[in-house]
PDB file of all heavy atoms in Angstrom:
ATOM      1  N   ALA A 248     143.091  67.135 169.250  1.00  0.00           N
ATOM      2  CA  ALA A 248     143.005  65.843 168.696  1.00  0.00           C
ATOM      3  C   ALA A 248     142.140  64.890 169.522  1.00  0.00           C
ATOM      4  O   ALA A 248     141.292  64.149 168.932  1.00  0.00           O
ATOM      5  CB  ALA A 248     144.425  65.200 168.590  1.00  0.00           C
ATOM      6  N   LYS A 249     142.241  65.073 170.873  1.00  0.00           N
ATOM      7  CA  LYS A 249     141.374  64.222 171.742  1.00  0.00           C
ATOM      8  C   LYS A 249     139.923  64.660 171.578  1.00  0.00           C
ATOM      9  O   LYS A 249     139.013  63.811 171.601  1.00  0.00           O
ATOM     10  CB  LYS A 249     141.794  64.381 173.152  1.00  0.00           C
ATOM     11  CG  LYS A 249     143.050  63.715 173.574  1.00  0.00           C
ATOM     12  CD  LYS A 249     143.485  63.896 174.980  1.00  0.00           C
ATOM     13  CE  LYS A 249     144.743  63.077 175.346  1.00  0.00           C
ATOM     14  NZ  LYS A 249     145.082  63.271 176.805  1.00  0.00           N
ATOM     15  N   LEU A 250     139.683  65.987 171.415  1.00  0.00           N
ATOM     16  CA  LEU A 250     138.278  66.373 171.144  1.00  0.00           C
ATOM     17  C   LEU A 250     137.691  65.790 169.890  1.00  0.00           C
ATOM     18  O   LEU A 250     136.591  65.331 169.841  1.00  0.00           O
ATOM     19  CB  LEU A 250     138.300  67.992 171.031  1.00  0.00           C
ATOM     20  CG  LEU A 250     136.977  68.564 170.636  1.00  0.00           C
ATOM     21  CD1 LEU A 250     135.858  68.219 171.602  1.00  0.00           C
ATOM     22  CD2 LEU A 250     137.113  70.057 170.457  1.00  0.00           C
ATOM     23  N   GLY A 251     138.569  65.610 168.865  1.00  0.00           N
ATOM     24  CA  GLY A 251     138.143  65.024 167.676  1.00  0.00           C
ATOM     25  C   GLY A 251     137.770  63.546 167.844  1.00  0.00           C
ATOM     26  O   GLY A 251     136.764  63.061 167.354  1.00  0.00           O
ATOM     27  N   LEU A 252     138.576  62.855 168.691  1.00  0.00           N
ATOM     28  CA  LEU A 252     138.243  61.473 168.957  1.00  0.00           C
ATOM     29  C   LEU A 252     136.878  61.404 169.753  1.00  0.00           C
ATOM     30  O   LEU A 252     136.129  60.475 169.497  1.00  0.00           O
ATOM     31  CB  LEU A 252     139.411  60.925 169.856  1.00  0.00           C
ATOM     32  CG  LEU A 252     140.716  60.634 169.126  1.00  0.00           C
ATOM     33  CD1 LEU A 252     141.746  60.089 170.171  1.00  0.00           C
ATOM     34  CD2 LEU A 252     140.604  59.829 167.922  1.00  0.00           C
ATOM     35  N   GLN A 253     136.692  62.392 170.665  1.00  0.00           N
ATOM     36  CA  GLN A 253     135.481  62.412 171.374  1.00  0.00           C
ATOM     37  C   GLN A 253     134.265  62.585 170.465  1.00  0.00           C
ATOM     38  O   GLN A 253     133.230  61.890 170.591  1.00  0.00           O
ATOM     39  CB  GLN A 253     135.506  63.514 172.463  1.00  0.00           C
ATOM     40  CG  GLN A 253     134.374  63.486 173.452  1.00  0.00           C
ATOM     41  CD  GLN A 253     134.540  64.551 174.548  1.00  0.00           C
ATOM     42  OE1 GLN A 253     135.503  65.306 174.460  1.00  0.00           O
ATOM     43  NE2 GLN A 253     133.579  64.606 175.438  1.00  0.00           N
ATOM     44  N   LEU A 254     134.386  63.445 169.510  1.00  0.00           N
ATOM     45  CA  LEU A 254     133.296  63.680 168.495  1.00  0.00           C
ATOM     46  C   LEU A 254     133.028  62.421 167.684  1.00  0.00           C
ATOM     47  O   LEU A 254     131.872  62.018 167.438  1.00  0.00           O
ATOM     48  CB  LEU A 254     133.715  64.805 167.564  1.00  0.00           C
ATOM     49  CG  LEU A 254     133.733  66.212 168.145  1.00  0.00           C
ATOM     50  CD1 LEU A 254     134.357  67.228 167.181  1.00  0.00           C
ATOM     51  CD2 LEU A 254     132.377  66.653 168.661  1.00  0.00           C
ATOM     52  N   LEU A 255     134.083  61.768 167.293  1.00  0.00           N
ATOM     53  CA  LEU A 255     133.962  60.512 166.578  1.00  0.00           C
ATOM     54  C   LEU A 255     133.218  59.426 167.397  1.00  0.00           C
ATOM     55  O   LEU A 255     132.305  58.700 166.963  1.00  0.00           O
ATOM     56  CB  LEU A 255     135.306  60.021 166.047  1.00  0.00           C
ATOM     57  CG  LEU A 255     135.987  60.825 164.948  1.00  0.00           C
ATOM     58  CD1 LEU A 255     137.428  60.344 164.807  1.00  0.00           C
ATOM     59  CD2 LEU A 255     135.189  60.702 163.690  1.00  0.00           C
ATOM     60  N   GLN A 256     133.656  59.362 168.660  1.00  0.00           N
ATOM     61  CA  GLN A 256     133.007  58.366 169.568  1.00  0.00           C
ATOM     62  C   GLN A 256     131.510  58.570 169.598  1.00  0.00           C
ATOM     63  O   GLN A 256     130.765  57.613 169.511  1.00  0.00           O
ATOM     64  CB  GLN A 256     133.631  58.460 170.938  1.00  0.00           C
ATOM     65  CG  GLN A 256     132.953  57.502 171.947  1.00  0.00           C
ATOM     66  CD  GLN A 256     133.117  58.040 173.411  1.00  0.00           C
ATOM     67  OE1 GLN A 256     133.648  59.104 173.618  1.00  0.00           O
ATOM     68  NE2 GLN A 256     132.677  57.215 174.351  1.00  0.00           N
ATOM     69  N   LEU A 280     147.128  59.665 172.273  1.00  0.00           N
ATOM     70  CA  LEU A 280     145.927  59.420 171.571  1.00  0.00           C
ATOM     71  C   LEU A 280     145.455  57.927 171.602  1.00  0.00           C
ATOM     72  O   LEU A 280     144.294  57.634 171.699  1.00  0.00           O
ATOM     73  CB  LEU A 280     146.074  59.875 170.115  1.00  0.00           C
ATOM     74  CG  LEU A 280     146.267  61.388 169.913  1.00  0.00           C
ATOM     75  CD1 LEU A 280     146.335  61.735 168.396  1.00  0.00           C
ATOM     76  CD2 LEU A 280     145.165  62.178 170.560  1.00  0.00           C
ATOM     77  N   TYR A 283     144.011  57.530 175.111  1.00  0.00           N
ATOM     78  CA  TYR A 283     142.716  58.202 175.216  1.00  0.00           C
ATOM     79  C   TYR A 283     141.621  57.479 174.413  1.00  0.00           C
ATOM     80  O   TYR A 283     140.489  57.252 174.943  1.00  0.00           O
ATOM     81  CB  TYR A 283     142.843  59.629 174.734  1.00  0.00           C
ATOM     82  CG  TYR A 283     141.625  60.442 174.931  1.00  0.00           C
ATOM     83  CD1 TYR A 283     141.336  61.052 176.229  1.00  0.00           C
ATOM     84  CD2 TYR A 283     140.638  60.671 173.909  1.00  0.00           C
ATOM     85  CE1 TYR A 283     140.194  61.756 176.380  1.00  0.00           C
ATOM     86  CE2 TYR A 283     139.473  61.406 174.067  1.00  0.00           C
ATOM     87  CZ  TYR A 283     139.234  61.926 175.350  1.00  0.00           C
ATOM     88  OH  TYR A 283     138.096  62.706 175.516  1.00  0.00           O
ATOM     89  N   MET A 290     137.401  52.700 172.083  1.00  0.00           N
ATOM     90  CA  MET A 290     137.656  52.310 170.693  1.00  0.00           C
ATOM     91  C   MET A 290     138.709  51.267 170.604  1.00  0.00           C
ATOM     92  O   MET A 290     139.569  51.152 171.450  1.00  0.00           O
ATOM     93  CB  MET A 290     138.079  53.527 169.854  1.00  0.00           C
ATOM     94  CG  MET A 290     137.126  54.644 169.741  1.00  0.00           C
ATOM     95  SD  MET A 290     137.857  56.011 168.782  1.00  0.00           S
ATOM     96  CE  MET A 290     136.539  57.273 168.764  1.00  0.00           C
TER      97      MET A 290
END
Side-chain angles (χ1 to χ4, degrees):
K249 287 180 177 179
L250 173 59
L252 294 179
Q253 190 176 1
L254 292 172
L255 290 169
Q256 176 205 5
L280 294 183
Y283 186 81
M290 295 177 182

